[in-house]
Amino acid sequence: MVFSFFKKEKLKIVAPVNGAIIPLEEVPDPVFSQKMMGEGIAVIPTAGNIHAPVNGRVILIAATKHAIGIRADDGTEILIHVGLETVGLNGNGFTLAVQEGDKILVGQLLMEVDWKYIQSHAKSTITPIVITNSEEGKRQFTLTKGVSAVQGETIMITCS
């Protein structure tokens, strides 16, 4: 029991948006489905905006506002890619609430999304959540078996 004090806390990545959960392998884009960017999971959003899935820092915002990179406090790097083929929207449909370098807390608003605009102007609203440094080290990633995500509540990925 004494050694449990030294155990490293597992990182819990919560849903950044409400929606239906699908395995990354089912995302109709080979960059994600073949895990070229890393391990992860995806959400088909039903409502709401994109919120921080962990405590950490914003390390990347795509020039076209469709993707946000986060480094969790434990060093895990997470990419939230809002929709598929949304780079061509040139930022339309996205309103950022953070900037690169900002410290963020789980549940904090990262961006507002006009899902109707995305749905009618992009390939898909499917939003992959990918651990871009999942190949580094000997970490284990446990993906939820759930089918429905509640923003800020559903634990999507546990890293240990």
Side-chain angles (χ1 to χ4, degrees), residues 39 44 54 62 77-78 92 96 98 102 108 110-111 124 142-143:
E39 183 62 71
I44 302 170
V54 294
E77 294 181 359
I78 302 157
N92 294 320
L96 295 171
V98 293
D102 284 359
Q108 180 177 338
L110 298 178
M111 79 167 65
S124 173
T142 306
L143 307 175

Side-chain angles (χ1 to χ4, degrees), residues 80-113:
I80 303 171
H81 192 284
V82 184
L84 300 179
E85 296 184 19
T86 47
V87 69
L89 301 179
N90 295 314
N92 294 320
F94 308 103
T95 304
L96 295 171
V98 293
Q99 298 176 26
E100 280 186 32
D102 284 359
K103 181 95 176 101
I104 55 170
L105 297 174
V106 68
Q108 180 177 338
L109 178 66
L110 298 178
M111 79 167 65
E112 294 176 3
V113 182

Side-chain angles (χ1 to χ4, degrees), residues 16-136:
V17 66
N18 297 325
I21 299 169
I22 63 169
L24 208 54
E25 294 84 357
E26 292 180 18
V27 173
D29 182 323
V31 171
F32 296 108
S33 65
Q34 295 175 20
K35 300 185 181 183
M36 292 180 198
M37 295 190 74
E39 183 62 71
I41 200 161
V43 176
I44 302 170
T46 53
N49 295 305
I50 303 297
H51 295 261
V54 294
N55 293 333
R57 187 169 299 278
V58 176
I59 58 170
L60 170 104
I61 295 178
T64 52
K65 305 177 189 174
H66 72 286
I68 293 183
I70 299 164
R71 182 175 295 121
D73 287 343
D74 77 342
T76 302
E77 294 181 359
I78 302 157
L79 177 72
I80 303 171
H81 192 284
V82 184
L84 300 179
E85 296 184 19
T86 47
V87 69
L89 301 179
N90 295 314
N92 294 320
F94 308 103
T95 304
L96 295 171
V98 293
Q99 298 176 26
E100 280 186 32
D102 284 359
K103 181 95 176 101
I104 55 170
L105 297 174
V106 68
Q108 180 177 338
L109 178 66
L110 298 178
M111 79 167 65
E112 294 176 3
V113 182
D114 181 344
W115 294 112
K116 287 187 172 133
Y117 183 86
I118 305 300
Q119 196 166 26
S120 62
H121 292 88
K123 179 179 179 182
S124 173
T125 61
I126 292 174
T127 298
I129 298 104
V130 179
I131 300 169
T132 57
N133 62 349
S134 61
E135 295 297 317
E136 297 174 11

